[in-house]
């Protein structure tokens, strides 16, 4: 365990030394810049940071809109599936295929089928 902790300590010590070296280099380089160059550098850094953030926010909005559309399509698909099942049950019960069954008649059909079969959904 002692070897592992000494390895970690040496790793962090080396990383700290590198950070200090690079910060000193950056500080010396920044001291050579005039005010306008420094302002442009700061604005460029802020722009580089904010552009990916703005892209993430835009992507989040697009995903949210896509989620709403997908949910709506799933609801429409469920409704179409239910309508198809209603038509099948209506035809199985001997109903006229030209007229549309009502919700009450559908409930009655399921009750009739449930009496004759163990599972009405199996037939549908």
């Amino acid at each position: 365990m002692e070897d592992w902790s000494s390895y970690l300590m040496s790793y962090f010590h080396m990383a700290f030394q590198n950070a200090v070296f690079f910060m000193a280099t950056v500080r010396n380089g920044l001291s050579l810049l005039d005010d306008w160059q420094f302002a442009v550098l700061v604005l460029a850094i802020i722009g580089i940071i904010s552009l990916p953030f703005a892209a993430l926010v835009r992507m989040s909005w697009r995903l949210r809109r896509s989620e709403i559309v997908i949910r709506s399509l799933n609801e429409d698909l469920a409704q179409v599936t239910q309508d198809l099942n209603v038509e099948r049950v209506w035809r199985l019960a001997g109903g006229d295929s030209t007229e549309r069954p009502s919700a009450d008649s559908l409930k009655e059909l399921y009750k009739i089928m449930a009496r004759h079969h163990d599972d009405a959904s199996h037939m549908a």
Side-chain angles (χ1 to χ4, degrees), residues 15-88:
F16 181 73
Q17 284 179 339
N18 286 337
V20 169
F21 172 75
F22 287 119
M23 289 301 289
T25 305
V26 169
R27 187 190 61 198
N28 290 339
L30 289 177
S31 66
L32 299 176
L33 297 177
D34 63 0
D35 291 340
W36 286 105
Q37 290 172 334
F38 182 76
V40 167
L41 179 68
V42 168
L43 289 175
I45 291 171
I46 290 171
I48 289 171
I49 291 171
S50 62
L51 281 177
F53 180 73
L56 284 174
V57 169
R58 183 171 181 246
M59 187 78 72
S60 172
W61 287 342
R62 291 178 79 187
L63 285 173
R64 206 169 288 134
R65 284 189 309 208
S66 297
E67 178 188 3
I68 292 168
V69 168
I70 289 172
R71 187 177 299 127
S72 172
L73 288 173
N74 281 339
E75 290 170 0
D76 290 345
L77 180 63
Q79 182 64 41
V80 167
T81 303
Q82 182 180 1
D83 290 346
L84 285 173
N85 287 338
V86 166
E87 295 294 329
R88 287 182 189 151

Side-chain angles (χ1 to χ4, degrees), residues 82 86 100-110:
Q82 182 180 1
V86 166
R100 180 85 175 124
S102 66
D104 292 333
S105 63
L106 178 64
K107 288 179 188 175
E108 289 300 320
L109 285 173
Y110 275 120

Side-chain angles (χ1 to χ4, degrees), residues 88-120:
R88 287 182 189 151
V89 169
W90 187 253
R91 287 186 190 134
L92 284 173
D96 186 11
S97 62
T98 58
E99 65 183 69
R100 180 85 175 124
S102 66
D104 292 333
S105 63
L106 178 64
K107 288 179 188 175
E108 289 300 320
L109 285 173
Y110 275 120
K111 287 179 186 176
I112 292 168
M113 291 179 69
R115 274 187 264 144
H116 293 293
H117 303 284
D118 293 332
D119 187 12

